[in-house]
């Protein structure tokens, strides 16, 4: 049974979501303010966080940032009545993985939850000892090596820590080397939902990934193709 924590202060919304998700077989914990929500996530092992932005004690953006200090990989789904592109991007920049604008249909909430859980990366997977020259889990491109079993990312001998979304984005590039990939393709592959293309979520996360992967100016791997998208190619 998947464990979800709902951080939301509107009792009617809590009742609606909790009842519906319990009927779907999820185990639901609830926090009615931001500080309590942070403590719950830090003290328990949840599979997903559903997080309102307008909260007492601590707003959802700060809650998300606080969670990400100690847990970079639990999927976080924002619920927000602030549906502008700027507010959505703020949520994603603070460490969120997806957003749903209020009011929403329950069927859409369930679809987003299933998508996030399906795409979540099991970072607790134990180490394996196999010959990396013949290992289906090993991906190499230029001086980047990724072990998709242990989720370790190394470039030029340096281990790099990525969030779940950054990792999925890198893996999509590694599975499509030298191919120019459009923003729409990346949205579909990495987020799995139809986003408003007016937002720049892809650009935001590509920049995040670049800062960690391409910190050597003369050895950039992720390149912008103006008017078309991005490409992973050797320097």
């Amino acid at each position: 049974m998947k464990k979800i924590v709902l951080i939301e202060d509107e009792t009617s919304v809590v009742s609606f979501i909790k009842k519906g998700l319990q009927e779907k077989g999820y185990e639901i914990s609830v926090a009615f303010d931001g500080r309590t929500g942070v403590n719950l996530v830090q003290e328990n092992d949840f599979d997903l966080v559903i997080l309102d932005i307008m909260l007492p004690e601590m707003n959802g953006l700060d809650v998300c940032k606080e969670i990400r200090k100690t847990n970079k990989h639990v999927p976080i789904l924002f619920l927000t009545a602030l549906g502008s592109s700027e507010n959505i991007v703020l949520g994603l920049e603070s460490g969120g993985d997806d957003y749903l604008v209020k009011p929403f249909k329950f069927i859409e909430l369930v679809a987003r939850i299933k998508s996030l859980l399906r795409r979540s990366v099991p970072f607790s997977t134990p180490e394996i000892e196999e010959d990396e020259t013949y290992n289906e889990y090993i991906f190499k491109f230029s001086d980047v090596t990724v072990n998709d079993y242990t989720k370790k990312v190394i470039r030029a001998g340096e281990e790099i820590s990525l969030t779940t979304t950054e990792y999925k984005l890198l893996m999509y590039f590694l599975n499509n080397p030298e191919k120019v990939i459009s923003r729409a393709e990346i949205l579909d592959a990495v987020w799995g939902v139809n986003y408003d293309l007016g937002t720049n979520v892809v650009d935001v996360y590509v920049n995040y990934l670049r800062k960690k992967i391409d910190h050597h100016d003369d050895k950039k791997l992720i390149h912008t193709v103006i008017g078309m998208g991005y490409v992973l190619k050797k320097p």
Side-chain angles (χ1 to χ4, degrees):
M1 181 181 292
K2 296 293 185 181
K3 296 171 63 178
I4 296 175
V5 58
L6 171 62
I7 308 174
E8 166 67 65
D9 66 323
E10 293 184 50
T11 55
S12 59
V13 175
V14 169
S15 178
F16 165 67
I17 293 177
K18 184 176 181 179
K19 182 176 183 295
L21 292 183
Q22 284 177 333
E23 290 176 354
K24 292 290 184 180
Y26 296 104
E27 181 180 331
I28 309 299
S29 298
V30 176
F32 289 95
D33 65 79
R35 176 53 63 187
T36 302
V38 170
N39 293 337
L40 264 179
V41 176
Q42 291 177 339
E43 295 169 3
N44 296 274
D45 185 18
F46 291 107
D47 297 293
L48 180 76
V49 177
I50 301 176
L51 176 61
D52 189 16
I53 289 183
M54 305 299 290
L55 290 167
E57 302 294 333
M58 179 187 292
N59 70 61
L61 299 178
D62 289 337
V63 169
C64 187
K65 292 174 184 177
E66 196 68 24
I67 290 172
R68 286 297 183 229
K69 289 179 181 179
T70 56
N71 189 332
K72 295 185 181 298
H73 310 304
V74 63
I76 297 177
L77 170 62
F78 272 111
L79 299 181
T80 176
L82 308 173
S84 70
S85 297
E86 292 76 13
N87 284 304
I88 290 166
V89 170
L90 277 175
L92 296 171
E93 286 182 334
S94 69
D97 296 288
D98 199 357
Y99 70 91
L100 192 57
V101 177
K102 296 178 180 179
F104 54 85
K105 294 181 179 179
F106 183 72
I107 189 173
E108 185 177 5
L109 173 64
V110 172
R112 298 294 182 93
I113 289 171
K114 288 181 177 179
S115 177
L116 285 171
L117 291 174
R118 185 170 60 247
R119 294 182 287 111
S120 63
V121 181
F123 280 84
S124 59
T125 308
E127 296 279 353
I128 57 171
E129 295 182 3
E130 292 187 22
D131 181 4
E132 288 197 356
T133 61
Y134 187 73
N135 187 333
E136 62 179 311
Y137 296 105
I138 303 300
F139 292 78
K140 294 185 177 182
F141 186 85
S142 186
D143 56 352
V144 173
T145 300
V146 177
N147 186 321
D148 196 36
Y149 195 96
T150 61
K151 310 304 176 188
K152 284 188 177 180
V153 179
I154 296 174
R155 182 169 190 194
E158 177 186 349
E159 187 170 344
I160 300 170
S161 176
L162 301 179
T163 66
T164 300
T165 302
E166 291 164 353
Y167 182 87
K168 288 181 287 191
L169 180 58
L170 175 61
M171 288 302 297
Y172 188 59
F173 277 122
L174 289 173
N175 279 290
N176 295 275
E178 310 291 345
K179 175 187 175 183
V180 177
I181 307 170
S182 70
R183 289 171 176 80
E185 288 175 304
I186 294 173
L187 284 168
D188 182 56
V190 177
W191 280 268
V193 292
N194 294 321
Y195 274 78
D196 176 2
L197 295 181
T199 70
N200 63 343
V201 60
V202 171
D203 303 315
V204 167
Y205 271 90
V206 168
N207 285 334
Y208 286 163
L209 185 59
R210 277 174 165 164
K211 288 178 181 178
K212 296 182 178 181
I213 296 293
D214 284 345
H215 53 276
H216 300 295
D217 291 339
D218 59 336
K219 295 183 178 179
K220 293 188 182 298
L221 297 178
I222 303 171
H223 300 265
T224 301
V225 182
I226 297 175
M228 299 180 71
Y230 298 96
V231 60
L232 180 73
K233 64 180 181 180
K234 294 180 181 180

